[in-house]
Amino acid sequence: MKKIALYTLLCATVVASCRKDNSLDIPVEPSFPDPSKQLDSFKTILGTAPDGWVGALVPGSSNQLFSVYLQLDNGKGEATLYSDLSATSAATPSKSPFNVYVAQKVNPTISFGAGSQLGDIKLVTKRGVDTAYAFRYVSGDTLVLLGNKYSDELRLVKAGAQVKTAYTSGKLQAVISQATDFINNAGYLSLKQNNAPTMVYFNVSDKSVGFAAVANDIKTSAGSGYAYTTTGILLRHPVQAGGQAFTTLNWDSDALNFYATVDKAKAYLEQGALPPLPAHYLLGTELSGLQTLPSPGSLALPGWSTDFKAIWNDMANKFKTRGFPLSKVVFDFQVPGVLNVNITFASYVGRYSFKYTRTANGIYTFTPLPFATDAQGSNANALSPQAKPLTDMLTNNRLAISYATFPGGFLIGYTSVDKPSIGFTSIW
């Protein structure tokens, strides 16, 4: 027993000795840099832009984009911020306190206090944006920060004296005001690439822009959110259209128009009263698929031929005889390949559905689909004999679709290829 006890004691002594020696021979290094050093480094980076920072706020899980110009006054602890949220925010900066600290033990963070324009930004998803941003990385003159709550990204680039002057003199506000006025009054816009039009369309309410082009009877389209800058607009995502990638559209304050660089030359947006691409490429996508054919008694549309009026009157009389006066017909083109014809009679709607195909030059062929089992499908089935003049016309005629101009704008025009005396228009 004494030998066993002695052996156990010796083993314990050797193990303890090994542990002690290992701790001395292999010192443990910290897993993370010193937070205080990280904070000092971050403060140094923020202080290297005497003319401020210009950049973009990229909200996570969103197509939106905002441009910003930021100046930090370390003495006052005050942040001056311009943004393209509105013409007002572009001309009058917010002034708010800011704080730089270490969050989550290791991440240097800058936080903007009450009064910052960041607090005014609301996305279309109804949420706000981050007001505290942690350091991610720096590359040359570019500083990238990540929001602590929503993971919004703030990309900042050191500004020069000219950029500072552009913002403080109201250049951003001028671009927003001029460009918005142009977009709202320009009609339909396009760029010419290799003598072919690329359609450009804006939505100023959510700051988005789309591009569409056609080659070999195939339409390609893409869109992106955008932000106004002092030189035009910056797209959130590069957009490929008509064989060219777009990342910006430049604003010419003398010509009061946007231009892009195409084949190393300036290409200005061209304005037109009609969309630059044929109607059959756009219905249900860039142009709404909903079109209305009102009863001639309520609104007579131009372009209704004698033969089509006879078809309409025949249908209207059949509905009236059943005690359901006809008020309107709505065409609903859905992509891909379905046309719903919604006929309103009295207070009811009957939906007659067709599968369609079209040729490269916009000639449509319609094939009836079975009635749906919902209320509108059941209504249509019950009164299918009354709708027969119109549904037979669609089934028995190939229709060419085009634009039809009139003094107030344009309509969508239909002409039968098989019986050209049948023609009509609809309100888009």
Side-chain angles (χ1 to χ4, degrees), residues 186-192 196-202 210-214 219 270-288 291 401-406 408-413 426 428:
Y188 293 92
L189 297 168
S190 64
L191 278 170
K192 282 291 178 63
T198 293
M199 183 173 174
V200 183
Y201 45 98
F202 291 87
F211 299 77
V214 174
K219 187 193 76 174
E270 299 182 11
Q271 305 175 52
L274 296 175
L277 300 180
H280 58 275
Y281 290 113
L282 304 177
L283 286 179
T285 52
E286 283 75 17
L287 294 183
S288 170
Q291 301 160 55
I401 298 181
S402 61
Y403 301 117
T405 59
F406 76 109
F410 73 89
L411 305 170
I412 302 296
S426 64
W428 167 70

Side-chain angles (χ1 to χ4, degrees), residues 215-414:
N216 301 319
D217 192 35
I218 297 175
K219 187 193 76 174
T220 57
S221 59
S224 172
Y226 69 83
Y228 292 103
T229 70
T230 57
T231 58
I233 64 172
L234 170 69
L235 305 189
R236 172 164 176 157
H237 308 287
V239 170
Q240 188 80 24
Q244 178 167 328
F246 297 91
T247 57
T248 61
L249 286 176
N250 303 299
W251 179 251
D252 187 326
S253 57
D254 294 322
L256 295 178
N257 197 350
F258 286 106
Y259 68 89
T261 302
V262 177
D263 296 327
K264 299 181 180 180
K266 286 184 178 180
Y268 285 88
L269 295 188
E270 299 182 11
Q271 305 175 52
L274 296 175
L277 300 180
H280 58 275
Y281 290 113
L282 304 177
L283 286 179
T285 52
E286 283 75 17
L287 294 183
S288 170
L290 293 173
Q291 301 160 55
T292 301
L293 286 72
S295 173
S298 61
L299 179 64
L301 294 181
W304 283 32
S305 68
T306 300
D307 281 0
F308 182 74
K309 288 178 182 177
I311 292 170
W312 181 279
N313 291 333
D314 185 17
M315 177 175 62
N317 288 332
K318 283 179 165 60
F319 275 103
K320 185 177 180 180
T321 299
R322 282 291 305 272
F324 299 102
L326 177 65
S327 59
K328 67 178 179 180
V329 172
V330 175
F331 283 5
D332 181 5
F333 280 88
Q334 299 184 354
V335 177
V338 172
L339 169 65
N340 290 323
V341 178
N342 300 309
I343 301 179
T344 300
F345 40 88
S347 60
Y348 303 97
V349 175
R351 185 174 64 250
Y352 302 82
S353 298
F354 298 82
K355 178 182 178 181
Y356 69 78
T357 58
R358 68 161 182 81
T359 64
N361 55 347
I363 297 175
Y364 285 71
T365 300
F366 299 96
T367 305
L369 291 172
F371 292 104
T373 57
D374 60 9
Q376 293 185 353
S378 299
N379 292 341
N381 192 12
L383 279 81
S384 58
Q386 285 66 39
K388 195 171 175 59
L390 179 63
T391 57
D392 279 358
M393 185 277 294
L394 291 171
T395 302
N396 298 329
N397 289 269
R398 293 170 296 155
L399 297 179
I401 298 181
S402 61
Y403 301 117
T405 59
F406 76 109
F410 73 89
L411 305 170
I412 302 296
Y414 297 80

Side-chain angles (χ1 to χ4, degrees), residues 21 28 61 121 129 152 163 205 215 268 277 316 333 336 413 416 421 425:
D21 289 345
V28 177
S61 303
I121 297 175
V129 298
D152 298 335
V163 170
S205 62
Y268 285 88
L277 300 180
F333 280 88
S416 171
S421 61
T425 59

